[in-house]
Amino acid sequence: MNFTLSEGSRQPPRKPWSLERLKFERSIAVGAAIDTSTHSSYTSALNSYVYFCDVHNFPYKPTPDIFSFYIVWLCNNDVQRVDPKSVEKYLSGICNELEDFYDDVRAIRNHRMVRKTLRGCRRLYSKPTKRKSPLSISDLALAVEHYCHRRNHDDLLFLALLLTGWFGLLRLAELCLPDVKKHQNLRKRTRRDSVKWYLQGYGFDLPQHKADPFFEGNKSIRSGGATGLAEIGVPLHLIRATGRWASETFHIYIRKNPTFLTALLLQ
């Protein structure tokens, strides 16, 4: 098949790569598709699935039956039960790790039997959600009163992180690095030389979005800031932009009584 390129679509003279170079560069890109901490969680989920298959003499190749058996085995295990919400995340990690070997693994994950088994386990074994109370302005005032006169670096750093995270609607992962060294990614670290001072505040550049499907950071900070902005009448679209939410899920961070939420949604 021949293609005719227009005169205005000339390409720069790039040198061709060897097949080995192409494979090497692709492997690096594929390896960076998910974060190191996410990869650890996915690997843990895969280990759980492999162990399940080994003790039951099942093949590793996924089928709707094997996935549905795996779900009920985790959710109603006599030794340690896993919450169905976590099992759903396990399945996501297993699919991510196995899709290079089994092209249909995600279709199997979405099979009617698998979805119905997971839905049934949610009804039978789900635990009530326990949320931390969101931080409020009065909580911040207590922290400022307690730490503002101290000269210890760690105390002042904690206060700066607390206030920055609250007013900036930041996740914990956007304020500090993980404790586990292998999960630390320097490309995510906010550089001090990116800080800019303004007449009424300061700002800095976040290198990239650090949201993790398995961990969203300290929601008490994030929800406290969102609730505080809502209470003083900031429009919802500005709260969403400040927190860098891509969807309407930011509503779950505004934690007040139903009447308060209704008034916000109708404003």
Side-chain angles (χ1 to χ4, degrees):
M1 184 179 294
N2 296 323
F3 295 95
T4 302
L5 300 179
S6 62
E7 294 182 359
S9 62
R10 291 183 178 179
Q11 296 295 311
R14 299 187 179 96
K15 294 182 179 180
W17 286 354
S18 65
L19 182 59
E20 290 74 16
R21 173 74 183 279
L22 290 169
K23 290 181 178 179
F24 174 75
E25 296 292 343
R26 183 182 64 179
S27 65
I28 294 177
V30 171
I34 58 175
D35 195 73
T36 53
S37 59
T38 305
H39 178 68
S40 294
S41 299
Y42 286 173
T43 302
S44 177
L46 180 62
N47 290 341
S48 170
Y49 173 75
V50 170
Y51 177 78
F52 165 78
C53 292
D54 286 342
V55 297
H56 292 91
N57 294 318
F58 289 150
Y60 296 146
K61 180 176 173 55
T63 66
D65 277 341
I66 291 178
F67 267 1
S68 61
F69 293 154
Y70 175 69
I71 291 170
V72 294
W73 181 74
L74 283 182
C75 292
N76 195 27
N77 197 284
D78 295 332
V79 177
Q80 183 180 7
R81 294 184 178 182
V82 179
D83 190 274
K85 296 175 184 177
S86 298
V87 174
E88 187 172 7
K89 296 174 181 178
Y90 279 30
L91 292 175
S92 297
I94 292 168
C95 289
N96 183 82
E97 296 296 300
L98 292 183
E99 61 184 349
D100 290 338
F101 306 97
Y102 307 111
D103 294 337
D104 58 345
V105 64
R106 294 195 181 274
I108 294 171
R109 160 65 182 87
N110 292 318
H111 189 275
R112 176 180 56 84
M113 177 61 70
V114 178
R115 289 188 286 106
K116 291 186 71 173
T117 302
L118 189 56
R119 189 182 305 121
C121 285
R122 283 177 183 164
R123 291 180 179 274
L124 292 171
Y125 310 116
S126 283
K127 301 174 183 177
T129 301
K130 296 181 180 179
R131 291 179 173 176
K132 296 179 181 178
S133 299
L135 291 173
S136 63
I137 285 289
S138 58
D139 295 326
L140 298 184
L142 288 174
V144 171
E145 182 181 357
H146 183 73
Y147 287 106
C148 66
H149 299 297
R150 300 200 177 190
R151 291 295 176 263
N152 181 276
H153 173 269
D154 289 346
D155 290 340
L156 296 177
L157 177 60
F158 169 76
L159 183 61
L161 290 173
L162 178 65
L163 297 176
T164 300
W166 198 91
F167 287 103
L169 301 183
L170 299 176
R171 293 179 172 88
L172 185 60
E174 292 170 324
L175 294 170
C176 56
L177 293 174
D179 292 332
V180 181
K181 263 196 170 181
K182 66 177 182 179
H183 293 166
Q184 297 177 3
N185 188 343
L186 296 182
R187 291 178 297 178
K188 291 184 174 182
R189 178 179 293 177
T190 299
R191 295 175 59 89
R192 283 179 291 182
D193 57 13
S194 72
V195 177
K196 298 180 179 63
W197 292 93
Y198 305 101
L199 292 178
Q200 296 182 337
Y202 61 94
F204 52 87
D205 296 330
L206 288 175
Q208 56 180 294
H209 199 271
K210 299 183 186 178
D212 190 306
F214 282 179
F215 178 68
E216 293 188 359
N218 192 329
K219 293 185 179 180
S220 63
I221 293 179
R222 197 161 164 82
S223 62
T227 303
L229 291 176
E231 287 181 318
I232 63 175
V234 176
L236 292 183
H237 71 278
L238 293 181
I239 297 176
R240 176 178 172 180
T242 303
R244 304 166 309 286
W245 281 288
S247 65
E248 299 298 324
T249 55
F250 76 98
H251 288 151
I252 67 175
Y253 290 89
I254 302 176
R255 300 179 186 168
K256 285 290 180 181
N257 59 68
T259 304
F260 176 75
L261 286 176
T262 302
L264 284 176
L265 296 174
L266 294 178
Q267 71 180 9

